[in-house]
PDB file of all heavy atoms in Angstrom:
ATOM      1  N   PRO A 869      -6.966   3.190   3.248  1.00 97.00           N
ATOM      2  CA  PRO A 869      -6.924   2.460   4.528  1.00 97.00           C
ATOM      3  C   PRO A 869      -5.511   2.089   4.994  1.00 97.00           C
ATOM      4  O   PRO A 869      -5.182   0.906   5.160  1.00 97.00           O
ATOM      5  CB  PRO A 869      -7.741   1.209   4.216  1.00 97.00           C
ATOM      6  CG  PRO A 869      -7.430   0.934   2.778  1.00 97.00           C
ATOM      7  CD  PRO A 869      -7.290   2.285   2.125  1.00 97.00           C
ATOM      8  N   THR A 870      -4.690   3.064   5.250  1.00 97.00           N
ATOM      9  CA  THR A 870      -3.280   2.811   5.574  1.00 97.00           C
ATOM     10  C   THR A 870      -3.100   1.842   6.732  1.00 97.00           C
ATOM     11  O   THR A 870      -2.341   0.866   6.629  1.00 97.00           O
ATOM     12  CB  THR A 870      -2.570   4.139   5.891  1.00 97.00           C
ATOM     13  OG1 THR A 870      -2.632   4.991   4.737  1.00 97.00           O
ATOM     14  CG2 THR A 870      -1.115   3.900   6.269  1.00 97.00           C
ATOM     15  N   GLU A 871      -3.788   2.076   7.832  1.00 98.00           N
ATOM     16  CA  GLU A 871      -3.565   1.269   9.041  1.00 98.00           C
ATOM     17  C   GLU A 871      -3.965  -0.190   8.852  1.00 98.00           C
ATOM     18  O   GLU A 871      -3.239  -1.103   9.281  1.00 98.00           O
ATOM     19  CB  GLU A 871      -4.311   1.878  10.229  1.00 98.00           C
ATOM     20  CG  GLU A 871      -3.724   3.218  10.675  1.00 98.00           C
ATOM     21  CD  GLU A 871      -4.407   3.741  11.927  1.00 98.00           C
ATOM     22  OE1 GLU A 871      -5.248   3.022  12.515  1.00 98.00           O
ATOM     23  OE2 GLU A 871      -4.092   4.877  12.327  1.00 98.00           O
ATOM     24  N   THR A 872      -5.102  -0.430   8.218  1.00 98.00           N
ATOM     25  CA  THR A 872      -5.526  -1.819   8.054  1.00 98.00           C
ATOM     26  C   THR A 872      -4.660  -2.540   7.014  1.00 98.00           C
ATOM     27  O   THR A 872      -4.390  -3.742   7.159  1.00 98.00           O
ATOM     28  CB  THR A 872      -7.009  -1.913   7.652  1.00 98.00           C
ATOM     29  OG1 THR A 872      -7.278  -1.012   6.578  1.00 98.00           O
ATOM     30  CG2 THR A 872      -7.902  -1.582   8.822  1.00 98.00           C
ATOM     31  N   LEU A 873      -4.198  -1.830   5.997  1.00 98.00           N
ATOM     32  CA  LEU A 873      -3.272  -2.450   5.048  1.00 98.00           C
ATOM     33  C   LEU A 873      -2.000  -2.901   5.759  1.00 98.00           C
ATOM     34  O   LEU A 873      -1.488  -4.001   5.521  1.00 98.00           O
ATOM     35  CB  LEU A 873      -2.911  -1.464   3.932  1.00 98.00           C
ATOM     36  CG  LEU A 873      -4.013  -1.071   2.952  1.00 98.00           C
ATOM     37  CD1 LEU A 873      -3.491  -0.019   1.984  1.00 98.00           C
ATOM     38  CD2 LEU A 873      -4.538  -2.282   2.198  1.00 98.00           C
ATOM     39  N   GLU A 874      -1.493  -2.059   6.644  1.00 98.00           N
ATOM     40  CA  GLU A 874      -0.282  -2.402   7.393  1.00 98.00           C
ATOM     41  C   GLU A 874      -0.513  -3.627   8.275  1.00 98.00           C
ATOM     42  O   GLU A 874       0.376  -4.481   8.406  1.00 98.00           O
ATOM     43  CB  GLU A 874       0.151  -1.205   8.236  1.00 98.00           C
ATOM     44  CG  GLU A 874       0.673  -0.039   7.401  1.00 98.00           C
ATOM     45  CD  GLU A 874       0.880   1.236   8.195  1.00 98.00           C
ATOM     46  OE1 GLU A 874       0.412   1.300   9.361  1.00 98.00           O
ATOM     47  OE2 GLU A 874       1.500   2.163   7.670  1.00 98.00           O
ATOM     48  N   LYS A 875      -1.722  -3.747   8.853  1.00 98.00           N
ATOM     49  CA  LYS A 875      -2.039  -4.917   9.677  1.00 98.00           C
ATOM     50  C   LYS A 875      -2.051  -6.189   8.836  1.00 98.00           C
ATOM     51  O   LYS A 875      -1.533  -7.230   9.264  1.00 98.00           O
ATOM     52  CB  LYS A 875      -3.393  -4.733  10.369  1.00 98.00           C
ATOM     53  CG  LYS A 875      -3.378  -3.741  11.516  1.00 98.00           C
ATOM     54  CD  LYS A 875      -4.753  -3.659  12.162  1.00 98.00           C
ATOM     55  CE  LYS A 875      -4.772  -2.669  13.312  1.00 98.00           C
ATOM     56  NZ  LYS A 875      -6.125  -2.563  13.918  1.00 98.00           N
ATOM     57  N   PHE A 876      -2.643  -6.122   7.652  1.00 98.00           N
ATOM     58  CA  PHE A 876      -2.659  -7.292   6.756  1.00 98.00           C
ATOM     59  C   PHE A 876      -1.231  -7.698   6.388  1.00 98.00           C
ATOM     60  O   PHE A 876      -0.876  -8.883   6.422  1.00 98.00           O
ATOM     61  CB  PHE A 876      -3.443  -6.986   5.483  1.00 98.00           C
ATOM     62  CG  PHE A 876      -4.914  -7.246   5.577  1.00 98.00           C
ATOM     63  CD1 PHE A 876      -5.811  -6.190   5.585  1.00 98.00           C
ATOM     64  CD2 PHE A 876      -5.406  -8.537   5.637  1.00 98.00           C
ATOM     65  CE1 PHE A 876      -7.178  -6.422   5.657  1.00 98.00           C
ATOM     66  CE2 PHE A 876      -6.770  -8.786   5.711  1.00 98.00           C
ATOM     67  CZ  PHE A 876      -7.664  -7.719   5.724  1.00 98.00           C
ATOM     68  N   LEU A 877      -0.408  -6.738   6.027  1.00 98.00           N
ATOM     69  CA  LEU A 877       0.967  -7.027   5.614  1.00 98.00           C
ATOM     70  C   LEU A 877       1.802  -7.589   6.767  1.00 98.00           C
ATOM     71  O   LEU A 877       2.710  -8.389   6.543  1.00 98.00           O
ATOM     72  CB  LEU A 877       1.622  -5.763   5.062  1.00 98.00           C
ATOM     73  CG  LEU A 877       1.075  -5.255   3.722  1.00 98.00           C
ATOM     74  CD1 LEU A 877       1.640  -3.877   3.414  1.00 98.00           C
ATOM     75  CD2 LEU A 877       1.406  -6.233   2.600  1.00 98.00           C
ATOM     76  N   THR A 878       1.486  -7.187   7.969  1.00 97.00           N
ATOM     77  CA  THR A 878       2.204  -7.671   9.148  1.00 97.00           C
ATOM     78  C   THR A 878       1.741  -9.063   9.558  1.00 97.00           C
ATOM     79  O   THR A 878       2.538  -9.891  10.012  1.00 97.00           O
ATOM     80  CB  THR A 878       1.999  -6.704  10.335  1.00 97.00           C
ATOM     81  OG1 THR A 878       2.472  -5.405   9.976  1.00 97.00           O
ATOM     82  CG2 THR A 878       2.758  -7.170  11.569  1.00 97.00           C
ATOM     83  N   THR A 879       0.464  -9.351   9.379  1.00 98.00           N
ATOM     84  CA  THR A 879      -0.150 -10.576   9.896  1.00 98.00           C
ATOM     85  C   THR A 879      -0.016 -11.767   8.953  1.00 98.00           C
ATOM     86  O   THR A 879       0.162 -12.903   9.403  1.00 98.00           O
ATOM     87  CB  THR A 879      -1.638 -10.319  10.209  1.00 98.00           C
ATOM     88  OG1 THR A 879      -1.741  -9.219  11.119  1.00 98.00           O
ATOM     89  CG2 THR A 879      -2.285 -11.558  10.816  1.00 98.00           C
ATOM     90  N   TYR A 880      -0.102 -11.519   7.642  1.00 97.00           N
ATOM     91  CA  TYR A 880      -0.151 -12.610   6.666  1.00 97.00           C
ATOM     92  C   TYR A 880       1.110 -12.645   5.808  1.00 97.00           C
ATOM     93  O   TYR A 880       1.677 -11.606   5.468  1.00 97.00           O
ATOM     94  CB  TYR A 880      -1.375 -12.459   5.759  1.00 97.00           C
ATOM     95  CG  TYR A 880      -2.689 -12.620   6.491  1.00 97.00           C
ATOM     96  CD1 TYR A 880      -3.372 -11.505   6.986  1.00 97.00           C
ATOM     97  CD2 TYR A 880      -3.236 -13.874   6.717  1.00 97.00           C
ATOM     98  CE1 TYR A 880      -4.570 -11.644   7.671  1.00 97.00           C
ATOM     99  CE2 TYR A 880      -4.431 -14.024   7.397  1.00 97.00           C
ATOM    100  CZ  TYR A 880      -5.101 -12.911   7.877  1.00 97.00           C
ATOM    101  OH  TYR A 880      -6.275 -13.065   8.557  1.00 97.00           O
ATOM    102  N   GLU A 881       1.530 -13.857   5.451  1.00 95.00           N
ATOM    103  CA  GLU A 881       2.698 -14.018   4.583  1.00 95.00           C
ATOM    104  C   GLU A 881       2.300 -14.032   3.111  1.00 95.00           C
ATOM    105  O   GLU A 881       2.981 -13.442   2.272  1.00 95.00           O
ATOM    106  CB  GLU A 881       3.446 -15.310   4.939  1.00 95.00           C
ATOM    107  CG  GLU A 881       4.154 -15.250   6.283  1.00 95.00           C
ATOM    108  CD  GLU A 881       5.025 -16.460   6.527  1.00 95.00           C
ATOM    109  OE1 GLU A 881       5.208 -17.261   5.580  1.00 95.00           O
ATOM    110  OE2 GLU A 881       5.501 -16.625   7.665  1.00 95.00           O
ATOM    111  N   GLN A 882       1.226 -14.749   2.785  1.00 96.00           N
ATOM    112  CA  GLN A 882       0.772 -14.843   1.394  1.00 96.00           C
ATOM    113  C   GLN A 882      -0.157 -13.670   1.092  1.00 96.00           C
ATOM    114  O   GLN A 882      -1.382 -13.801   1.071  1.00 96.00           O
ATOM    115  CB  GLN A 882       0.081 -16.185   1.161  1.00 96.00           C
ATOM    116  CG  GLN A 882       0.990 -17.383   1.271  1.00 96.00           C
ATOM    117  CD  GLN A 882       2.107 -17.348   0.232  1.00 96.00           C
ATOM    118  OE1 GLN A 882       1.889 -17.074  -0.946  1.00 96.00           O
ATOM    119  NE2 GLN A 882       3.321 -17.614   0.675  1.00 96.00           N
ATOM    120  N   VAL A 883       0.448 -12.517   0.833  1.00 98.00           N
ATOM    121  CA  VAL A 883      -0.321 -11.297   0.612  1.00 98.00           C
ATOM    122  C   VAL A 883       0.485 -10.358  -0.277  1.00 98.00           C
ATOM    123  O   VAL A 883       1.710 -10.307  -0.197  1.00 98.00           O
ATOM    124  CB  VAL A 883      -0.665 -10.619   1.964  1.00 98.00           C
ATOM    125  CG1 VAL A 883       0.590 -10.249   2.740  1.00 98.00           C
ATOM    126  CG2 VAL A 883      -1.534  -9.382   1.757  1.00 98.00           C
ATOM    127  N   TYR A 884      -0.215  -9.666  -1.172  1.00 97.00           N
ATOM    128  CA  TYR A 884       0.447  -8.611  -1.939  1.00 97.00           C
ATOM    129  C   TYR A 884      -0.545  -7.495  -2.213  1.00 97.00           C
ATOM    130  O   TYR A 884      -1.749  -7.644  -1.997  1.00 97.00           O
ATOM    131  CB  TYR A 884       1.073  -9.145  -3.229  1.00 97.00           C
ATOM    132  CG  TYR A 884       0.118  -9.484  -4.352  1.00 97.00           C
ATOM    133  CD1 TYR A 884      -0.288  -8.520  -5.281  1.00 97.00           C
ATOM    134  CD2 TYR A 884      -0.364 -10.789  -4.519  1.00 97.00           C
ATOM    135  CE1 TYR A 884      -1.141  -8.843  -6.327  1.00 97.00           C
ATOM    136  CE2 TYR A 884      -1.215 -11.108  -5.568  1.00 97.00           C
ATOM    137  CZ  TYR A 884      -1.603 -10.132  -6.464  1.00 97.00           C
ATOM    138  OH  TYR A 884      -2.453 -10.446  -7.488  1.00 97.00           O
ATOM    139  N   ILE A 885      -0.027  -6.345  -2.676  1.00 98.00           N
ATOM    140  CA  ILE A 885      -0.867  -5.179  -2.916  1.00 98.00           C
ATOM    141  C   ILE A 885      -1.011  -4.920  -4.409  1.00 98.00           C
ATOM    142  O   ILE A 885      -0.031  -4.922  -5.149  1.00 98.00           O
ATOM    143  CB  ILE A 885      -0.311  -3.921  -2.227  1.00 98.00           C
ATOM    144  CG1 ILE A 885      -0.089  -4.165  -0.737  1.00 98.00           C
ATOM    145  CG2 ILE A 885      -1.286  -2.756  -2.402  1.00 98.00           C
ATOM    146  CD1 ILE A 885       0.375  -2.948   0.016  1.00 98.00           C
ATOM    147  N   LYS A 886      -2.247  -4.670  -4.800  1.00 98.00           N
ATOM    148  CA  LYS A 886      -2.573  -4.311  -6.179  1.00 98.00           C
ATOM    149  C   LYS A 886      -3.248  -2.939  -6.126  1.00 98.00           C
ATOM    150  O   LYS A 886      -4.409  -2.807  -5.757  1.00 98.00           O
ATOM    151  CB  LYS A 886      -3.511  -5.360  -6.772  1.00 98.00           C
ATOM    152  CG  LYS A 886      -3.947  -5.109  -8.195  1.00 98.00           C
ATOM    153  CD  LYS A 886      -4.968  -6.152  -8.615  1.00 98.00           C
ATOM    154  CE  LYS A 886      -6.254  -5.984  -7.864  1.00 98.00           C
ATOM    155  NZ  LYS A 886      -7.248  -7.029  -8.119  1.00 98.00           N
ATOM    156  N   PHE A 887      -2.471  -1.906  -6.451  1.00 98.00           N
ATOM    157  CA  PHE A 887      -2.980  -0.543  -6.379  1.00 98.00           C
ATOM    158  C   PHE A 887      -3.673  -0.158  -7.684  1.00 98.00           C
ATOM    159  O   PHE A 887      -3.103  -0.325  -8.767  1.00 98.00           O
ATOM    160  CB  PHE A 887      -1.840   0.452  -6.154  1.00 98.00           C
ATOM    161  CG  PHE A 887      -1.162   0.354  -4.826  1.00 98.00           C
ATOM    162  CD1 PHE A 887       0.098  -0.207  -4.711  1.00 98.00           C
ATOM    163  CD2 PHE A 887      -1.764   0.861  -3.683  1.00 98.00           C
ATOM    164  CE1 PHE A 887       0.748  -0.273  -3.492  1.00 98.00           C
ATOM    165  CE2 PHE A 887      -1.126   0.801  -2.453  1.00 98.00           C
ATOM    166  CZ  PHE A 887       0.136   0.232  -2.357  1.00 98.00           C
ATOM    167  N   ALA A 888      -4.870   0.396  -7.590  1.00 98.00           N
ATOM    168  CA  ALA A 888      -5.515   0.997  -8.758  1.00 98.00           C
ATOM    169  C   ALA A 888      -5.059   2.446  -8.867  1.00 98.00           C
ATOM    170  O   ALA A 888      -4.857   3.123  -7.862  1.00 98.00           O
ATOM    171  CB  ALA A 888      -7.032   0.925  -8.622  1.00 98.00           C
ATOM    172  N   ALA A 889      -4.904   2.920 -10.095  1.00 98.00           N
ATOM    173  CA  ALA A 889      -4.453   4.299 -10.296  1.00 98.00           C
ATOM    174  C   ALA A 889      -5.026   4.862 -11.583  1.00 98.00           C
ATOM    175  O   ALA A 889      -5.025   4.192 -12.622  1.00 98.00           O
ATOM    176  CB  ALA A 889      -2.932   4.362 -10.330  1.00 98.00           C
ATOM    177  N   TYR A 890      -5.484   6.122 -11.500  1.00 98.00           N
ATOM    178  CA  TYR A 890      -5.983   6.817 -12.680  1.00 98.00           C
ATOM    179  C   TYR A 890      -5.089   7.995 -13.085  1.00 98.00           C
ATOM    180  O   TYR A 890      -4.947   8.300 -14.266  1.00 98.00           O
ATOM    181  CB  TYR A 890      -7.406   7.337 -12.438  1.00 98.00           C
ATOM    182  CG  TYR A 890      -7.900   8.217 -13.558  1.00 98.00           C
ATOM    183  CD1 TYR A 890      -8.251   7.673 -14.793  1.00 98.00           C
ATOM    184  CD2 TYR A 890      -7.979   9.606 -13.400  1.00 98.00           C
ATOM    185  CE1 TYR A 890      -8.664   8.481 -15.836  1.00 98.00           C
ATOM    186  CE2 TYR A 890      -8.399  10.422 -14.439  1.00 98.00           C
ATOM    187  CZ  TYR A 890      -8.732   9.849 -15.656  1.00 98.00           C
ATOM    188  OH  TYR A 890      -9.138  10.649 -16.691  1.00 98.00           O
ATOM    189  N   ASP A 891      -4.475   8.662 -12.092  1.00 98.00           N
ATOM    190  CA  ASP A 891      -3.690   9.854 -12.406  1.00 98.00           C
ATOM    191  C   ASP A 891      -2.499   9.989 -11.461  1.00 98.00           C
ATOM    192  O   ASP A 891      -2.243   9.117 -10.612  1.00 98.00           O
ATOM    193  CB  ASP A 891      -4.579  11.114 -12.351  1.00 98.00           C
ATOM    194  CG  ASP A 891      -5.275  11.296 -11.005  1.00 98.00           C
ATOM    195  OD1 ASP A 891      -4.831  10.689 -10.002  1.00 98.00           O
ATOM    196  OD2 ASP A 891      -6.264  12.046 -10.952  1.00 98.00           O
ATOM    197  N   GLN A 892      -1.786  11.088 -11.607  1.00 98.00           N
ATOM    198  CA  GLN A 892      -0.582  11.311 -10.812  1.00 98.00           C
ATOM    199  C   GLN A 892      -0.890  11.416  -9.323  1.00 98.00           C
ATOM    200  O   GLN A 892      -0.116  10.946  -8.487  1.00 98.00           O
ATOM    201  CB  GLN A 892       0.132  12.587 -11.286  1.00 98.00           C
ATOM    202  CG  GLN A 892       1.489  12.824 -10.630  1.00 98.00           C
ATOM    203  CD  GLN A 892       2.501  11.745 -10.978  1.00 98.00           C
ATOM    204  OE1 GLN A 892       2.611  11.335 -12.133  1.00 98.00           O
ATOM    205  NE2 GLN A 892       3.244  11.277  -9.988  1.00 98.00           N
ATOM    206  N   LYS A 893      -2.027  12.020  -8.985  1.00 98.00           N
ATOM    207  CA  LYS A 893      -2.413  12.129  -7.575  1.00 98.00           C
ATOM    208  C   LYS A 893      -2.544  10.750  -6.943  1.00 98.00           C
ATOM    209  O   LYS A 893      -2.094  10.520  -5.813  1.00 98.00           O
ATOM    210  CB  LYS A 893      -3.721  12.905  -7.448  1.00 98.00           C
ATOM    211  CG  LYS A 893      -4.170  13.134  -6.019  1.00 98.00           C
ATOM    212  CD  LYS A 893      -5.462  13.940  -5.983  1.00 98.00           C
ATOM    213  CE  LYS A 893      -5.932  14.151  -4.542  1.00 98.00           C
ATOM    214  NZ  LYS A 893      -7.223  14.906  -4.501  1.00 98.00           N
ATOM    215  N   ASP A 894      -3.165   9.828  -7.665  1.00 98.00           N
ATOM    216  CA  ASP A 894      -3.296   8.453  -7.173  1.00 98.00           C
ATOM    217  C   ASP A 894      -1.922   7.823  -6.976  1.00 98.00           C
ATOM    218  O   ASP A 894      -1.657   7.161  -5.965  1.00 98.00           O
ATOM    219  CB  ASP A 894      -4.103   7.606  -8.157  1.00 98.00           C
ATOM    220  CG  ASP A 894      -5.558   8.016  -8.251  1.00 98.00           C
ATOM    221  OD1 ASP A 894      -6.031   8.762  -7.380  1.00 98.00           O
ATOM    222  OD2 ASP A 894      -6.220   7.582  -9.210  1.00 98.00           O
ATOM    223  N   LEU A 895      -1.043   8.026  -7.933  1.00 98.00           N
ATOM    224  CA  LEU A 895       0.300   7.438  -7.856  1.00 98.00           C
ATOM    225  C   LEU A 895       1.092   7.983  -6.681  1.00 98.00           C
ATOM    226  O   LEU A 895       1.871   7.255  -6.057  1.00 98.00           O
ATOM    227  CB  LEU A 895       1.054   7.661  -9.162  1.00 98.00           C
ATOM    228  CG  LEU A 895       0.557   6.854 -10.367  1.00 98.00           C
ATOM    229  CD1 LEU A 895       1.260   7.303 -11.630  1.00 98.00           C
ATOM    230  CD2 LEU A 895       0.764   5.358 -10.148  1.00 98.00           C
ATOM    231  N   GLU A 896       0.897   9.257  -6.341  1.00 98.00           N
ATOM    232  CA  GLU A 896       1.622   9.829  -5.210  1.00 98.00           C
ATOM    233  C   GLU A 896       1.201   9.180  -3.895  1.00 98.00           C
ATOM    234  O   GLU A 896       2.022   8.954  -3.006  1.00 98.00           O
ATOM    235  CB  GLU A 896       1.413  11.343  -5.154  1.00 98.00           C
ATOM    236  CG  GLU A 896       2.075  12.109  -6.297  1.00 98.00           C
ATOM    237  CD  GLU A 896       3.559  11.801  -6.441  1.00 98.00           C
ATOM    238  OE1 GLU A 896       4.257  11.743  -5.410  1.00 98.00           O
ATOM    239  OE2 GLU A 896       4.032  11.612  -7.585  1.00 98.00           O
ATOM    240  N   VAL A 897      -0.086   8.869  -3.774  1.00 98.00           N
ATOM    241  CA  VAL A 897      -0.570   8.170  -2.572  1.00 98.00           C
ATOM    242  C   VAL A 897       0.049   6.776  -2.497  1.00 98.00           C
ATOM    243  O   VAL A 897       0.473   6.313  -1.429  1.00 98.00           O
ATOM    244  CB  VAL A 897      -2.110   8.087  -2.577  1.00 98.00           C
ATOM    245  CG1 VAL A 897      -2.605   7.167  -1.463  1.00 98.00           C
ATOM    246  CG2 VAL A 897      -2.716   9.466  -2.421  1.00 98.00           C
ATOM    247  N   ILE A 898       0.119   6.098  -3.627  1.00 98.00           N
ATOM    248  CA  ILE A 898       0.716   4.767  -3.698  1.00 98.00           C
ATOM    249  C   ILE A 898       2.185   4.809  -3.283  1.00 98.00           C
ATOM    250  O   ILE A 898       2.650   4.001  -2.477  1.00 98.00           O
ATOM    251  CB  ILE A 898       0.576   4.202  -5.132  1.00 98.00           C
ATOM    252  CG1 ILE A 898      -0.896   3.932  -5.453  1.00 98.00           C
ATOM    253  CG2 ILE A 898       1.417   2.939  -5.306  1.00 98.00           C
ATOM    254  CD1 ILE A 898      -1.166   3.675  -6.915  1.00 98.00           C
ATOM    255  N   LYS A 899       2.918   5.761  -3.819  1.00 98.00           N
ATOM    256  CA  LYS A 899       4.353   5.873  -3.503  1.00 98.00           C
ATOM    257  C   LYS A 899       4.575   6.190  -2.032  1.00 98.00           C
ATOM    258  O   LYS A 899       5.473   5.627  -1.395  1.00 98.00           O
ATOM    259  CB  LYS A 899       4.991   6.952  -4.379  1.00 98.00           C
ATOM    260  CG  LYS A 899       5.041   6.602  -5.860  1.00 98.00           C
ATOM    261  CD  LYS A 899       5.549   7.799  -6.661  1.00 98.00           C
ATOM    262  CE  LYS A 899       5.372   7.598  -8.143  1.00 98.00           C
ATOM    263  NZ  LYS A 899       5.786   8.792  -8.916  1.00 98.00           N
ATOM    264  N   GLU A 900       3.753   7.076  -1.495  1.00 98.00           N
ATOM    265  CA  GLU A 900       3.886   7.428  -0.080  1.00 98.00           C
ATOM    266  C   GLU A 900       3.720   6.192   0.802  1.00 98.00           C
ATOM    267  O   GLU A 900       4.491   5.964   1.732  1.00 98.00           O
ATOM    268  CB  GLU A 900       2.863   8.492   0.290  1.00 98.00           C
ATOM    269  CG  GLU A 900       2.933   8.925   1.751  1.00 98.00           C
ATOM    270  CD  GLU A 900       1.888   9.966   2.112  1.00 98.00           C
ATOM    271  OE1 GLU A 900       1.129  10.404   1.206  1.00 98.00           O
ATOM    272  OE2 GLU A 900       1.812  10.338   3.296  1.00 98.00           O
ATOM    273  N   PHE A 901       2.697   5.395   0.495  1.00 98.00           N
ATOM    274  CA  PHE A 901       2.476   4.178   1.279  1.00 98.00           C
ATOM    275  C   PHE A 901       3.630   3.195   1.091  1.00 98.00           C
ATOM    276  O   PHE A 901       4.114   2.597   2.059  1.00 98.00           O
ATOM    277  CB  PHE A 901       1.162   3.507   0.870  1.00 98.00           C
ATOM    278  CG  PHE A 901       0.885   2.242   1.629  1.00 98.00           C
ATOM    279  CD1 PHE A 901       0.234   2.286   2.845  1.00 98.00           C
ATOM    280  CD2 PHE A 901       1.298   1.003   1.145  1.00 98.00           C
ATOM    281  CE1 PHE A 901      -0.001   1.124   3.567  1.00 98.00           C
ATOM    282  CE2 PHE A 901       1.069  -0.160   1.855  1.00 98.00           C
ATOM    283  CZ  PHE A 901       0.415  -0.099   3.068  1.00 98.00           C
ATOM    284  N   ALA A 902       4.083   3.026  -0.130  1.00 98.00           N
ATOM    285  CA  ALA A 902       5.141   2.055  -0.419  1.00 98.00           C
ATOM    286  C   ALA A 902       6.430   2.405   0.313  1.00 98.00           C
ATOM    287  O   ALA A 902       7.069   1.527   0.925  1.00 98.00           O
ATOM    288  CB  ALA A 902       5.384   1.980  -1.920  1.00 98.00           C
ATOM    289  N   TYR A 903       6.825   3.643   0.268  1.00 98.00           N
ATOM    290  CA  TYR A 903       8.074   4.026   0.933  1.00 98.00           C
ATOM    291  C   TYR A 903       7.956   3.950   2.456  1.00 98.00           C
ATOM    292  O   TYR A 903       8.903   3.550   3.138  1.00 98.00           O
ATOM    293  CB  TYR A 903       8.500   5.429   0.504  1.00 98.00           C
ATOM    294  CG  TYR A 903       9.202   5.436  -0.841  1.00 98.00           C
ATOM    295  CD1 TYR A 903       8.565   5.895  -1.988  1.00 98.00           C
ATOM    296  CD2 TYR A 903      10.501   4.950  -0.958  1.00 98.00           C
ATOM    297  CE1 TYR A 903       9.202   5.884  -3.223  1.00 98.00           C
ATOM    298  CE2 TYR A 903      11.152   4.933  -2.189  1.00 98.00           C
ATOM    299  CZ  TYR A 903      10.502   5.390  -3.309  1.00 98.00           C
ATOM    300  OH  TYR A 903      11.140   5.365  -4.537  1.00 98.00           O
ATOM    301  N   LYS A 904       6.782   4.273   2.973  1.00 98.00           N
ATOM    302  CA  LYS A 904       6.576   4.187   4.421  1.00 98.00           C
ATOM    303  C   LYS A 904       6.652   2.741   4.905  1.00 98.00           C
ATOM    304  O   LYS A 904       7.100   2.463   6.025  1.00 98.00           O
ATOM    305  CB  LYS A 904       5.218   4.787   4.797  1.00 98.00           C
ATOM    306  CG  LYS A 904       4.917   4.725   6.291  1.00 98.00           C
ATOM    307  CD  LYS A 904       3.510   5.224   6.590  1.00 98.00           C
ATOM    308  CE  LYS A 904       3.194   5.070   8.082  1.00 98.00           C
ATOM    309  NZ  LYS A 904       1.787   5.421   8.398  1.00 98.00           N
ATOM    310  N   ASN A 905       6.226   1.802   4.066  1.00 98.00           N
ATOM    311  CA  ASN A 905       6.125   0.398   4.478  1.00 98.00           C
ATOM    312  C   ASN A 905       7.033  -0.517   3.665  1.00 98.00           C
ATOM    313  O   ASN A 905       6.718  -1.689   3.463  1.00 98.00           O
ATOM    314  CB  ASN A 905       4.670  -0.059   4.359  1.00 98.00           C
ATOM    315  CG  ASN A 905       3.766   0.654   5.331  1.00 98.00           C
ATOM    316  OD1 ASN A 905       3.743   0.352   6.521  1.00 98.00           O
ATOM    317  ND2 ASN A 905       3.016   1.635   4.821  1.00 98.00           N
ATOM    318  N   LYS A 906       8.151   0.008   3.241  1.00 97.00           N
ATOM    319  CA  LYS A 906       9.044  -0.760   2.375  1.00 97.00           C
ATOM    320  C   LYS A 906       9.466  -2.077   3.015  1.00 97.00           C
ATOM    321  O   LYS A 906       9.609  -3.101   2.331  1.00 97.00           O
ATOM    322  CB  LYS A 906      10.276   0.083   2.040  1.00 97.00           C
ATOM    323  CG  LYS A 906      11.131  -0.495   0.922  1.00 97.00           C
ATOM    324  CD  LYS A 906      12.219   0.471   0.505  1.00 97.00           C
ATOM    325  CE  LYS A 906      13.004  -0.081  -0.683  1.00 97.00           C
ATOM    326  NZ  LYS A 906      14.071   0.855  -1.134  1.00 97.00           N
ATOM    327  N   ASN A 907       9.644  -2.085   4.313  1.00 97.00           N
ATOM    328  CA  ASN A 907      10.075  -3.305   5.006  1.00 97.00           C
ATOM    329  C   ASN A 907       8.982  -4.366   5.067  1.00 97.00           C
ATOM    330  O   ASN A 907       9.259  -5.549   5.316  1.00 97.00           O
ATOM    331  CB  ASN A 907      10.533  -2.972   6.428  1.00 97.00           C
ATOM    332  CG  ASN A 907       9.422  -2.407   7.294  1.00 97.00           C
ATOM    333  OD1 ASN A 907       8.657  -1.553   6.831  1.00 97.00           O
ATOM    334  ND2 ASN A 907       9.324  -2.844   8.533  1.00 97.00           N
TER     335      ASN A 907
END
C-alpha cells in the first residue's frame, strides 16, 4: 500500500514503519519504498 503509507507518514508525527520480511524479494520492496520516501 505505497500511497496510503505515504499519507500516514505525511499526516501523523507519532508514526513509524515495521516491515515484515521473509526473503530477498520482500527486502527489495522495503528498500524501494524507503529510498523513495526517505524524507
Side-chain angles (χ1 to χ4, degrees):
T870 299
E871 292 185 6
T872 48
L873 292 176
E874 291 170 348
K875 286 182 180 178
F876 273 110
L877 291 170
T878 301
T879 304
Y880 294 94
E881 290 187 9
Q882 294 298 314
V883 60
Y884 74 88
I885 306 184
K886 179 185 68 186
F887 293 106
Y890 173 73
D891 57 19
Q892 187 64 44
K893 183 179 179 182
D894 292 345
L895 289 172
E896 291 306 316
V897 171
I898 293 167
K899 293 174 191 176
E900 180 181 357
F901 179 87
Y903 279 105
K904 179 185 176 186
N905 294 283
K906 192 172 184 179
N907 63 316

